[in-house]
Amino acid sequence: MFEWQTIAVGLIILAAAFYTGRMAWMRLRTFRNAKGAVGESACGGCETAKKPAMTERTVFVEIGRSGSRSTSRRR
């Protein structure tokens, strides 16, 4: 006769095996493209996608010596 704890452990192990199997299956599917060829990207367009144009960066903080030395000098 099975106790409720044995059934609970069995369900947990079954759920973990299902999850692991599903993750492995999804991983194996990423190696196939739409035509079923192995070894190519699943999306098929990553290499040919346009890269966004570089924009000029805005400088918010600049670290360095200031041009005038007499403004904040301690005596």
Short mmCIF file of all heavy atoms in Angstrom, two decimals:
data_model
loop_
_atom_site.label_atom_id
_atom_site.label_comp_id
_atom_site.label_asym_id
_atom_site.label_seq_id
_atom_site.Cartn_x
_atom_site.Cartn_y
_atom_site.Cartn_z
N MET A 1 0.84 -1.18 0.00
CA MET A 1 0.00 0.00 0.00
C MET A 1 0.89 1.25 0.00
O MET A 1 1.85 1.33 0.75
CB MET A 1 -0.90 -0.03 1.24
CG MET A 1 -1.85 1.09 1.31
SD MET A 1 -2.97 0.80 2.69
CE MET A 1 -4.33 1.68 2.15
N PHE A 2 0.51 2.22 -0.84
CA PHE A 2 1.28 3.45 -0.93
C PHE A 2 0.77 4.46 0.09
O PHE A 2 -0.43 4.62 0.30
CB PHE A 2 1.14 4.06 -2.33
CG PHE A 2 1.87 3.30 -3.39
CD1 PHE A 2 1.18 2.57 -4.33
CD2 PHE A 2 3.25 3.31 -3.45
CE1 PHE A 2 1.84 1.87 -5.31
CE2 PHE A 2 3.92 2.61 -4.43
CZ PHE A 2 3.23 1.89 -5.36
N GLU A 3 1.71 5.16 0.67
CA GLU A 3 1.36 6.26 1.56
C GLU A 3 1.26 7.54 0.72
O GLU A 3 1.76 7.61 -0.40
CB GLU A 3 2.42 6.42 2.63
CG GLU A 3 2.52 5.22 3.56
CD GLU A 3 3.60 5.43 4.61
OE1 GLU A 3 4.08 6.56 4.76
OE2 GLU A 3 3.96 4.44 5.26
N TRP A 4 0.65 8.56 1.26
CA TRP A 4 0.48 9.80 0.52
C TRP A 4 1.82 10.46 0.24
O TRP A 4 1.99 11.15 -0.77
CB TRP A 4 -0.46 10.75 1.26
CG TRP A 4 0.12 11.32 2.53
CD1 TRP A 4 0.03 10.79 3.77
CD2 TRP A 4 0.87 12.52 2.66
NE1 TRP A 4 0.67 11.57 4.67
CE2 TRP A 4 1.21 12.66 4.03
CE3 TRP A 4 1.29 13.49 1.78
CZ2 TRP A 4 1.96 13.71 4.50
CZ3 TRP A 4 2.03 14.57 2.26
CH2 TRP A 4 2.36 14.66 3.61
N GLN A 5 2.82 10.26 1.10
CA GLN A 5 4.13 10.85 0.90
C GLN A 5 4.85 10.23 -0.30
O GLN A 5 5.51 10.92 -1.07
CB GLN A 5 4.98 10.70 2.16
CG GLN A 5 4.42 11.47 3.33
CD GLN A 5 5.09 11.09 4.65
OE1 GLN A 5 5.69 10.02 4.75
NE2 GLN A 5 4.97 11.97 5.64
N THR A 6 4.70 8.93 -0.48
CA THR A 6 5.30 8.25 -1.62
C THR A 6 4.68 8.74 -2.92
O THR A 6 5.38 8.98 -3.91
CB THR A 6 5.12 6.73 -1.48
OG1 THR A 6 5.61 6.32 -0.20
CG2 THR A 6 5.86 6.00 -2.57
N ILE A 7 3.37 8.91 -2.92
CA ILE A 7 2.69 9.43 -4.11
C ILE A 7 3.13 10.86 -4.41
O ILE A 7 3.37 11.22 -5.56
CB ILE A 7 1.16 9.34 -3.92
CG1 ILE A 7 0.75 7.86 -3.84
CG2 ILE A 7 0.43 10.04 -5.06
CD1 ILE A 7 -0.69 7.66 -3.46
N ALA A 8 3.27 11.69 -3.37
CA ALA A 8 3.71 13.07 -3.56
C ALA A 8 5.12 13.12 -4.14
O ALA A 8 5.40 13.90 -5.06
CB ALA A 8 3.63 13.84 -2.24
N VAL A 9 6.02 12.30 -3.63
CA VAL A 9 7.39 12.25 -4.14
C VAL A 9 7.40 11.78 -5.58
O VAL A 9 8.12 12.31 -6.43
CB VAL A 9 8.28 11.36 -3.24
CG1 VAL A 9 9.62 11.08 -3.89
CG2 VAL A 9 8.48 12.01 -1.88
N GLY A 10 6.58 10.78 -5.89
CA GLY A 10 6.48 10.28 -7.26
C GLY A 10 6.00 11.35 -8.22
O GLY A 10 6.51 11.49 -9.34
N LEU A 11 5.01 12.14 -7.80
CA LEU A 11 4.51 13.24 -8.64
C LEU A 11 5.56 14.32 -8.85
O LEU A 11 5.69 14.89 -9.94
CB LEU A 11 3.24 13.83 -8.04
CG LEU A 11 2.00 12.94 -8.11
CD1 LEU A 11 0.84 13.58 -7.34
CD2 LEU A 11 1.62 12.67 -9.54
N ILE A 12 6.32 14.62 -7.81
CA ILE A 12 7.38 15.62 -7.92
C ILE A 12 8.47 15.15 -8.88
O ILE A 12 8.94 15.90 -9.74
CB ILE A 12 7.96 15.95 -6.54
CG1 ILE A 12 6.93 16.71 -5.71
CG2 ILE A 12 9.25 16.74 -6.65
CD1 ILE A 12 7.29 16.90 -4.26
N ILE A 13 8.86 13.88 -8.79
CA ILE A 13 9.88 13.33 -9.68
C ILE A 13 9.36 13.29 -11.12
O ILE A 13 10.08 13.62 -12.07
CB ILE A 13 10.31 11.93 -9.20
CG1 ILE A 13 11.10 12.08 -7.90
CG2 ILE A 13 11.13 11.21 -10.26
CD1 ILE A 13 11.46 10.77 -7.25
N LEU A 14 8.09 12.94 -11.30
CA LEU A 14 7.49 12.93 -12.63
C LEU A 14 7.45 14.33 -13.23
O LEU A 14 7.76 14.52 -14.41
CB LEU A 14 6.08 12.34 -12.55
CG LEU A 14 5.35 12.17 -13.88
CD1 LEU A 14 6.07 11.14 -14.74
CD2 LEU A 14 3.92 11.76 -13.63
N ALA A 15 7.09 15.32 -12.42
CA ALA A 15 7.07 16.71 -12.90
C ALA A 15 8.47 17.19 -13.26
O ALA A 15 8.66 17.87 -14.27
CB ALA A 15 6.44 17.62 -11.84
N ALA A 16 9.47 16.84 -12.46
CA ALA A 16 10.84 17.24 -12.75
C ALA A 16 11.35 16.57 -14.03
O ALA A 16 12.02 17.20 -14.85
CB ALA A 16 11.75 16.88 -11.57
N ALA A 17 11.00 15.31 -14.23
CA ALA A 17 11.41 14.61 -15.45
C ALA A 17 10.73 15.21 -16.67
O ALA A 17 11.35 15.39 -17.73
CB ALA A 17 11.08 13.12 -15.34
N PHE A 18 9.46 15.57 -16.55
CA PHE A 18 8.75 16.22 -17.65
C PHE A 18 9.38 17.56 -17.98
O PHE A 18 9.59 17.89 -19.15
CB PHE A 18 7.26 16.40 -17.28
CG PHE A 18 6.48 17.14 -18.32
CD1 PHE A 18 6.10 16.51 -19.49
CD2 PHE A 18 6.14 18.46 -18.12
CE1 PHE A 18 5.38 17.21 -20.46
CE2 PHE A 18 5.43 19.16 -19.08
CZ PHE A 18 5.04 18.53 -20.25
N TYR A 19 9.68 18.36 -16.97
CA TYR A 19 10.29 19.67 -17.18
C TYR A 19 11.65 19.54 -17.85
O TYR A 19 11.96 20.24 -18.81
CB TYR A 19 10.42 20.40 -15.84
CG TYR A 19 11.11 21.73 -15.95
CD1 TYR A 19 10.43 22.85 -16.41
CD2 TYR A 19 12.46 21.88 -15.58
CE1 TYR A 19 11.07 24.07 -16.52
CE2 TYR A 19 13.09 23.09 -15.69
CZ TYR A 19 12.40 24.19 -16.15
OH TYR A 19 13.03 25.39 -16.27
N THR A 20 12.48 18.62 -17.37
CA THR A 20 13.81 18.42 -17.94
C THR A 20 13.70 17.93 -19.38
O THR A 20 14.43 18.41 -20.26
CB THR A 20 14.60 17.41 -17.10
OG1 THR A 20 14.64 17.88 -15.75
CG2 THR A 20 16.01 17.25 -17.62
N GLY A 21 12.80 17.02 -19.64
CA GLY A 21 12.61 16.52 -21.00
C GLY A 21 12.13 17.60 -21.94
O GLY A 21 12.58 17.70 -23.09
N ARG A 22 11.22 18.43 -21.47
CA ARG A 22 10.72 19.53 -22.31
C ARG A 22 11.81 20.54 -22.61
O ARG A 22 11.92 21.02 -23.74
CB ARG A 22 9.54 20.21 -21.61
CG ARG A 22 8.89 21.26 -22.45
CD ARG A 22 7.60 21.76 -21.81
NE ARG A 22 6.98 22.76 -22.64
CZ ARG A 22 7.13 24.07 -22.47
NH1 ARG A 22 7.85 24.52 -21.49
NH2 ARG A 22 6.53 24.92 -23.27
N MET A 23 12.63 20.88 -21.63
CA MET A 23 13.73 21.81 -21.87
C MET A 23 14.74 21.23 -22.86
O MET A 23 15.25 21.94 -23.72
CB MET A 23 14.44 22.17 -20.55
CG MET A 23 13.62 23.04 -19.63
SD MET A 23 13.31 24.66 -20.36
CE MET A 23 11.54 24.68 -20.35
N ALA A 24 15.02 19.94 -22.75
CA ALA A 24 15.94 19.30 -23.69
C ALA A 24 15.35 19.30 -25.09
O ALA A 24 16.06 19.58 -26.07
CB ALA A 24 16.25 17.88 -23.22
N TRP A 25 14.06 19.01 -25.21
CA TRP A 25 13.40 19.01 -26.52
C TRP A 25 13.42 20.40 -27.14
O TRP A 25 13.69 20.55 -28.33
CB TRP A 25 11.97 18.50 -26.38
CG TRP A 25 11.21 18.54 -27.66
CD1 TRP A 25 10.21 19.40 -28.00
CD2 TRP A 25 11.40 17.68 -28.78
NE1 TRP A 25 9.77 19.12 -29.25
CE2 TRP A 25 10.49 18.07 -29.77
CE3 TRP A 25 12.27 16.62 -29.04
CZ2 TRP A 25 10.41 17.43 -30.99
CZ3 TRP A 25 12.18 16.00 -30.28
CH2 TRP A 25 11.27 16.40 -31.23
N MET A 26 13.14 21.43 -26.36
CA MET A 26 13.16 22.80 -26.87
C MET A 26 14.56 23.20 -27.31
O MET A 26 14.74 23.90 -28.30
CB MET A 26 12.62 23.78 -25.81
CG MET A 26 11.16 23.53 -25.43
SD MET A 26 10.03 23.77 -26.79
CE MET A 26 9.96 25.54 -26.79
N ARG A 27 15.55 22.76 -26.57
CA ARG A 27 16.94 23.06 -26.93
C ARG A 27 17.32 22.38 -28.23
O ARG A 27 17.98 22.98 -29.09
CB ARG A 27 17.87 22.61 -25.79
CG ARG A 27 19.32 22.79 -26.06
CD ARG A 27 19.69 24.24 -26.07
NE ARG A 27 21.14 24.34 -26.25
CZ ARG A 27 21.73 25.34 -26.84
NH1 ARG A 27 21.03 26.36 -27.26
NH2 ARG A 27 23.01 25.35 -26.98
N LEU A 28 16.90 21.14 -28.41
CA LEU A 28 17.20 20.44 -29.65
C LEU A 28 16.48 21.05 -30.84
O LEU A 28 17.00 21.05 -31.95
CB LEU A 28 16.84 18.96 -29.52
CG LEU A 28 17.73 18.14 -28.60
CD1 LEU A 28 17.18 16.74 -28.44
CD2 LEU A 28 19.15 18.10 -29.12
N ARG A 29 15.31 21.60 -30.62
CA ARG A 29 14.56 22.24 -31.70
C ARG A 29 15.23 23.51 -32.18
O ARG A 29 15.02 23.92 -33.32
CB ARG A 29 13.14 22.55 -31.26
CG ARG A 29 12.26 21.33 -31.24
CD ARG A 29 10.85 21.66 -30.89
NE ARG A 29 10.35 22.79 -31.68
CZ ARG A 29 9.21 23.40 -31.44
NH1 ARG A 29 8.46 23.02 -30.44
NH2 ARG A 29 8.81 24.40 -32.19
N THR A 30 16.02 24.18 -31.34
CA THR A 30 16.68 25.42 -31.76
C THR A 30 17.79 25.16 -32.77
O THR A 30 18.22 26.09 -33.44
CB THR A 30 17.27 26.19 -30.57
OG1 THR A 30 18.26 25.39 -29.94
CG2 THR A 30 16.21 26.58 -29.57
N PHE A 31 18.22 23.91 -32.90
CA PHE A 31 19.27 23.59 -33.87
C PHE A 31 18.71 23.39 -35.27
O PHE A 31 19.45 23.21 -36.21
CB PHE A 31 20.03 22.33 -33.43
CG PHE A 31 20.86 22.54 -32.21
CD1 PHE A 31 20.62 21.80 -31.07
CD2 PHE A 31 21.87 23.47 -32.19
CE1 PHE A 31 21.39 21.98 -29.94
CE2 PHE A 31 22.64 23.67 -31.06
CZ PHE A 31 22.40 22.92 -29.93
N ARG A 32 17.41 23.41 -35.43
CA ARG A 32 16.80 23.24 -36.75
C ARG A 32 16.19 24.55 -37.20
O ARG A 32 15.58 25.26 -36.43
CB ARG A 32 15.70 22.19 -36.68
CG ARG A 32 16.21 20.83 -36.32
CD ARG A 32 15.06 19.83 -36.42
NE ARG A 32 15.53 18.49 -36.11
CZ ARG A 32 16.00 17.65 -37.01
NH1 ARG A 32 16.06 18.00 -38.26
NH2 ARG A 32 16.40 16.46 -36.67
N ASN A 33 16.35 24.86 -38.49
CA ASN A 33 15.68 26.04 -39.03
C ASN A 33 14.32 25.63 -39.58
O ASN A 33 13.88 24.51 -39.40
CB ASN A 33 16.55 26.73 -40.08
CG ASN A 33 16.79 25.86 -41.29
OD1 ASN A 33 16.19 24.81 -41.45
ND2 ASN A 33 17.67 26.31 -42.16
N ALA A 34 13.66 26.50 -40.29
CA ALA A 34 12.32 26.22 -40.78
C ALA A 34 12.30 25.08 -41.78
O ALA A 34 11.31 24.38 -41.92
CB ALA A 34 11.73 27.48 -41.41
N LYS A 35 13.39 24.86 -42.51
CA LYS A 35 13.44 23.79 -43.50
C LYS A 35 13.85 22.46 -42.89
O LYS A 35 13.87 21.45 -43.58
CB LYS A 35 14.43 24.16 -44.61
CG LYS A 35 14.02 25.40 -45.37
CD LYS A 35 15.06 25.77 -46.39
CE LYS A 35 14.71 27.07 -47.07
NZ LYS A 35 15.76 27.53 -47.96
N GLY A 36 14.25 22.45 -41.64
CA GLY A 36 14.63 21.21 -40.99
C GLY A 36 16.12 20.92 -41.06
O GLY A 36 16.56 19.87 -40.63
N ALA A 37 16.91 21.84 -41.59
CA ALA A 37 18.35 21.62 -41.67
C ALA A 37 18.97 21.80 -40.31
O ALA A 37 18.60 22.70 -39.55
CB ALA A 37 18.98 22.58 -42.67
N VAL A 38 19.91 20.95 -39.99
CA VAL A 38 20.55 20.99 -38.68
C VAL A 38 21.77 21.89 -38.75
O VAL A 38 22.48 21.92 -39.73
CB VAL A 38 20.97 19.56 -38.24
CG1 VAL A 38 21.71 19.60 -36.93
CG2 VAL A 38 19.75 18.67 -38.15
N GLY A 39 22.02 22.65 -37.68
CA GLY A 39 23.23 23.44 -37.56
C GLY A 39 23.10 24.88 -37.95
O GLY A 39 24.06 25.63 -37.91
N GLU A 40 21.93 25.32 -38.34
CA GLU A 40 21.73 26.73 -38.67
C GLU A 40 20.84 27.37 -37.62
O GLU A 40 20.16 26.71 -36.87
CB GLU A 40 21.09 26.85 -40.05
CG GLU A 40 22.00 26.37 -41.16
CD GLU A 40 21.38 26.58 -42.52
OE1 GLU A 40 20.40 27.33 -42.61
OE2 GLU A 40 21.87 25.99 -43.48
N SER A 41 20.85 28.68 -37.62
CA SER A 41 20.07 29.42 -36.65
C SER A 41 18.58 29.19 -36.88
O SER A 41 18.12 29.07 -38.01
CB SER A 41 20.40 30.90 -36.77
OG SER A 41 19.57 31.64 -35.93
N ALA A 42 17.81 29.14 -35.82
CA ALA A 42 16.38 28.91 -35.92
C ALA A 42 15.66 30.11 -36.53
O ALA A 42 14.66 29.95 -37.22
CB ALA A 42 15.80 28.60 -34.54
N CYS A 43 16.16 31.32 -36.28
CA CYS A 43 15.48 32.49 -36.82
C CYS A 43 15.83 32.71 -38.29
O CYS A 43 15.04 33.24 -39.04
CB CYS A 43 15.81 33.73 -36.01
SG CYS A 43 17.51 34.27 -36.15
N GLY A 44 17.03 32.33 -38.70
CA GLY A 44 17.42 32.43 -40.10
C GLY A 44 17.79 33.81 -40.56
O GLY A 44 18.15 33.99 -41.72
N GLY A 45 17.75 34.83 -39.71
CA GLY A 45 18.05 36.17 -40.18
C GLY A 45 18.91 36.98 -39.25
O GLY A 45 18.99 38.18 -39.41
N CYS A 46 19.55 36.36 -38.30
CA CYS A 46 20.33 37.12 -37.32
C CYS A 46 21.57 37.75 -37.95
O CYS A 46 21.95 38.85 -37.60
CB CYS A 46 20.75 36.22 -36.17
SG CYS A 46 19.34 35.61 -35.22
N GLU A 47 22.20 37.03 -38.88
CA GLU A 47 23.43 37.55 -39.48
C GLU A 47 23.15 38.69 -40.44
O GLU A 47 23.97 39.57 -40.64
CB GLU A 47 24.18 36.44 -40.21
CG GLU A 47 24.72 35.36 -39.30
CD GLU A 47 23.68 34.32 -38.95
OE1 GLU A 47 22.66 34.21 -39.66
OE2 GLU A 47 23.87 33.62 -37.95
N THR A 48 21.97 38.70 -41.06
CA THR A 48 21.66 39.70 -42.06
C THR A 48 20.87 40.88 -41.50
O THR A 48 20.54 41.79 -42.24
CB THR A 48 20.86 39.07 -43.21
OG1 THR A 48 19.66 38.53 -42.69
CG2 THR A 48 21.67 37.99 -43.90
N ALA A 49 20.55 40.84 -40.23
CA ALA A 49 19.78 41.93 -39.64
C ALA A 49 20.60 43.20 -39.62
O ALA A 49 21.80 43.20 -39.40
CB ALA A 49 19.35 41.55 -38.21
N LYS A 50 19.92 44.31 -39.87
CA LYS A 50 20.61 45.60 -39.86
C LYS A 50 20.93 46.02 -38.44
O LYS A 50 20.11 45.88 -37.54
CB LYS A 50 19.75 46.67 -40.51
CG LYS A 50 19.59 46.50 -41.99
CD LYS A 50 18.81 47.67 -42.56
CE LYS A 50 18.70 47.56 -44.06
NZ LYS A 50 17.94 48.68 -44.62
N LYS A 51 22.12 46.54 -38.28
CA LYS A 51 22.50 47.06 -36.98
C LYS A 51 22.06 48.52 -36.89
O LYS A 51 22.12 49.24 -37.88
CB LYS A 51 24.02 46.97 -36.79
CG LYS A 51 24.51 45.55 -36.71
CD LYS A 51 25.98 45.51 -36.49
CE LYS A 51 26.46 44.06 -36.42
NZ LYS A 51 27.89 43.98 -36.23
N PRO A 52 21.60 48.96 -35.73
CA PRO A 52 21.17 50.35 -35.61
C PRO A 52 22.35 51.30 -35.76
O PRO A 52 23.48 50.98 -35.40
CB PRO A 52 20.58 50.44 -34.20
CG PRO A 52 21.15 49.27 -33.47
CD PRO A 52 21.43 48.23 -34.49
N ALA A 53 22.08 52.45 -36.34
CA ALA A 53 23.13 53.45 -36.56
C ALA A 53 23.61 54.00 -35.22
O ALA A 53 22.83 54.20 -34.30
CB ALA A 53 22.60 54.57 -37.44
N MET A 54 24.89 54.23 -35.13
CA MET A 54 25.46 54.80 -33.91
C MET A 54 25.06 56.27 -33.83
O MET A 54 25.17 57.01 -34.79
CB MET A 54 26.98 54.69 -33.91
CG MET A 54 27.48 53.26 -33.84
SD MET A 54 27.07 52.45 -32.29
CE MET A 54 28.08 53.36 -31.17
N THR A 55 24.59 56.66 -32.68
CA THR A 55 24.23 58.05 -32.47
C THR A 55 25.29 58.70 -31.59
O THR A 55 26.03 58.02 -30.89
CB THR A 55 22.86 58.16 -31.78
OG1 THR A 55 22.92 57.46 -30.54
CG2 THR A 55 21.77 57.55 -32.65
N GLU A 56 25.34 60.00 -31.64
CA GLU A 56 26.31 60.73 -30.83
C GLU A 56 25.92 60.63 -29.37
O GLU A 56 24.76 60.79 -29.00
CB GLU A 56 26.34 62.19 -31.26
CG GLU A 56 27.42 62.99 -30.59
CD GLU A 56 27.47 64.40 -31.12
OE1 GLU A 56 27.24 64.61 -32.30
OE2 GLU A 56 27.73 65.29 -30.29
N ARG A 57 26.88 60.36 -28.53
CA ARG A 57 26.62 60.22 -27.10
C ARG A 57 26.63 61.59 -26.42
O ARG A 57 27.40 62.46 -26.77
CB ARG A 57 27.67 59.35 -26.44
CG ARG A 57 27.60 57.93 -26.88
CD ARG A 57 28.59 57.11 -26.14
NE ARG A 57 28.52 55.71 -26.55
CZ ARG A 57 29.23 54.76 -26.02
NH1 ARG A 57 30.08 55.03 -25.06
NH2 ARG A 57 29.10 53.54 -26.45
N THR A 58 25.78 61.73 -25.43
CA THR A 58 25.72 62.94 -24.64
C THR A 58 26.57 62.73 -23.40
O THR A 58 26.41 61.76 -22.69
CB THR A 58 24.27 63.24 -24.22
OG1 THR A 58 23.46 63.32 -25.38
CG2 THR A 58 24.20 64.54 -23.44
N VAL A 59 27.48 63.67 -23.15
CA VAL A 59 28.35 63.58 -21.98
C VAL A 59 27.64 64.27 -20.82
O VAL A 59 27.38 65.46 -20.86
CB VAL A 59 29.72 64.24 -22.26
CG1 VAL A 59 30.60 64.19 -21.03
CG2 VAL A 59 30.39 63.58 -23.44
N PHE A 60 27.33 63.50 -19.79
CA PHE A 60 26.66 64.06 -18.63
C PHE A 60 27.67 64.50 -17.56
O PHE A 60 27.48 65.50 -16.90
CB PHE A 60 25.70 63.03 -18.02
CG PHE A 60 24.54 62.73 -18.91
CD1 PHE A 60 24.44 61.52 -19.56
CD2 PHE A 60 23.55 63.67 -19.11
CE1 PHE A 60 23.38 61.24 -20.37
CE2 PHE A 60 22.48 63.40 -19.93
CZ PHE A 60 22.39 62.18 -20.56
N VAL A 61 28.73 63.73 -17.38
CA VAL A 61 29.73 64.03 -16.37
C VAL A 61 31.09 63.91 -17.02
O VAL A 61 31.38 62.93 -17.71
CB VAL A 61 29.63 63.05 -15.17
CG1 VAL A 61 30.73 63.33 -14.17
CG2 VAL A 61 28.27 63.12 -14.54
N GLU A 62 31.93 64.89 -16.77
CA GLU A 62 33.28 64.85 -17.29
C GLU A 62 34.23 64.96 -16.12
O GLU A 62 34.13 65.88 -15.32
CB GLU A 62 33.51 65.98 -18.28
CG GLU A 62 34.85 65.90 -18.97
CD GLU A 62 34.98 66.95 -20.05
OE1 GLU A 62 34.02 67.16 -20.79
OE2 GLU A 62 36.05 67.56 -20.12
N ILE A 63 35.15 64.01 -16.01
CA ILE A 63 36.09 63.99 -14.91
C ILE A 63 37.43 64.47 -15.45
O ILE A 63 37.95 63.95 -16.42
CB ILE A 63 36.23 62.58 -14.31
CG1 ILE A 63 34.88 62.11 -13.79
CG2 ILE A 63 37.29 62.56 -13.23
CD1 ILE A 63 34.86 60.70 -13.32
N GLY A 64 37.97 65.47 -14.79
CA GLY A 64 39.25 65.99 -15.20
C GLY A 64 39.50 67.33 -14.53
O GLY A 64 38.68 67.84 -13.76
N ARG A 65 40.63 67.92 -14.83
CA ARG A 65 40.95 69.22 -14.25
C ARG A 65 40.19 70.31 -14.98
O ARG A 65 40.03 70.27 -16.18
CB ARG A 65 42.44 69.49 -14.36
CG ARG A 65 43.25 68.56 -13.50
CD ARG A 65 44.71 68.91 -13.62
NE ARG A 65 45.49 67.96 -12.86
CZ ARG A 65 46.37 68.30 -11.95
NH1 ARG A 65 46.60 69.57 -11.70
NH2 ARG A 65 47.02 67.38 -11.29
N SER A 66 39.76 71.29 -14.20
CA SER A 66 39.05 72.41 -14.82
C SER A 66 40.05 73.38 -15.41
O SER A 66 41.23 73.39 -15.07
CB SER A 66 38.16 73.11 -13.79
OG SER A 66 38.97 73.64 -12.76
N GLY A 67 39.57 74.24 -16.30
CA GLY A 67 40.44 75.18 -17.00
C GLY A 67 40.99 76.27 -16.08
O GLY A 67 42.14 76.67 -16.17
N SER A 68 40.19 76.78 -15.14
CA SER A 68 40.66 77.85 -14.25
C SER A 68 40.94 77.25 -12.88
O SER A 68 40.11 76.60 -12.29
CB SER A 68 39.62 78.96 -14.15
OG SER A 68 38.46 78.46 -13.59
N ARG A 69 42.11 77.53 -12.35
CA ARG A 69 42.51 76.95 -11.07
C ARG A 69 42.20 77.87 -9.88
O ARG A 69 42.30 77.48 -8.75
CB ARG A 69 44.01 76.66 -11.06
CG ARG A 69 44.36 75.60 -12.04
CD ARG A 69 45.80 75.28 -11.94
NE ARG A 69 46.16 74.23 -12.89
CZ ARG A 69 47.26 73.54 -12.85
NH1 ARG A 69 48.14 73.78 -11.89
NH2 ARG A 69 47.51 72.63 -13.73
N SER A 70 41.81 79.08 -10.13
CA SER A 70 41.61 80.03 -9.04
C SER A 70 40.22 79.99 -8.44
O SER A 70 39.98 80.65 -7.45
CB SER A 70 41.91 81.45 -9.54
OG SER A 70 40.99 81.79 -10.56
N THR A 71 39.29 79.26 -9.00
CA THR A 71 37.90 79.32 -8.52
C THR A 71 37.69 78.53 -7.23
O THR A 71 37.00 78.99 -6.33
CB THR A 71 36.93 78.80 -9.59
OG1 THR A 71 37.33 77.48 -9.95
CG2 THR A 71 36.96 79.69 -10.82
N SER A 72 38.25 77.35 -7.09
CA SER A 72 37.95 76.55 -5.91
C SER A 72 39.20 76.13 -5.18
O SER A 72 39.33 75.03 -4.71
CB SER A 72 37.17 75.31 -6.34
OG SER A 72 37.96 74.52 -7.17
N ARG A 73 40.14 77.03 -5.02
CA ARG A 73 41.39 76.72 -4.35
C ARG A 73 41.28 77.06 -2.85
O ARG A 73 40.83 78.14 -2.49
CB ARG A 73 42.52 77.53 -4.96
CG ARG A 73 43.88 77.17 -4.40
CD ARG A 73 44.95 77.88 -5.12
NE ARG A 73 45.22 77.07 -6.31
CZ ARG A 73 46.32 77.17 -7.01
NH1 ARG A 73 47.23 78.05 -6.68
NH2 ARG A 73 46.52 76.41 -8.03
N ARG A 74 41.69 76.16 -2.00
CA ARG A 74 41.69 76.42 -0.55
C ARG A 74 42.96 77.14 -0.16
O ARG A 74 44.02 76.87 -0.68
CB ARG A 74 41.59 75.10 0.22
CG ARG A 74 40.28 74.42 0.06
CD ARG A 74 40.25 73.23 0.94
NE ARG A 74 38.97 72.52 0.75
CZ ARG A 74 38.66 71.43 1.38
NH1 ARG A 74 39.50 70.87 2.21
NH2 ARG A 74 37.50 70.87 1.16
N ARG A 75 42.85 77.98 0.86
CA ARG A 75 44.03 78.70 1.36
C ARG A 75 44.31 78.36 2.76
O ARG A 75 43.64 78.02 3.57
CB ARG A 75 43.82 80.19 1.22
CG ARG A 75 43.76 80.55 -0.23
CD ARG A 75 43.61 82.03 -0.34
NE ARG A 75 43.35 82.31 -1.73
CZ ARG A 75 43.83 83.34 -2.34
NH1 ARG A 75 44.59 84.20 -1.71
NH2 ARG A 75 43.57 83.56 -3.59
#
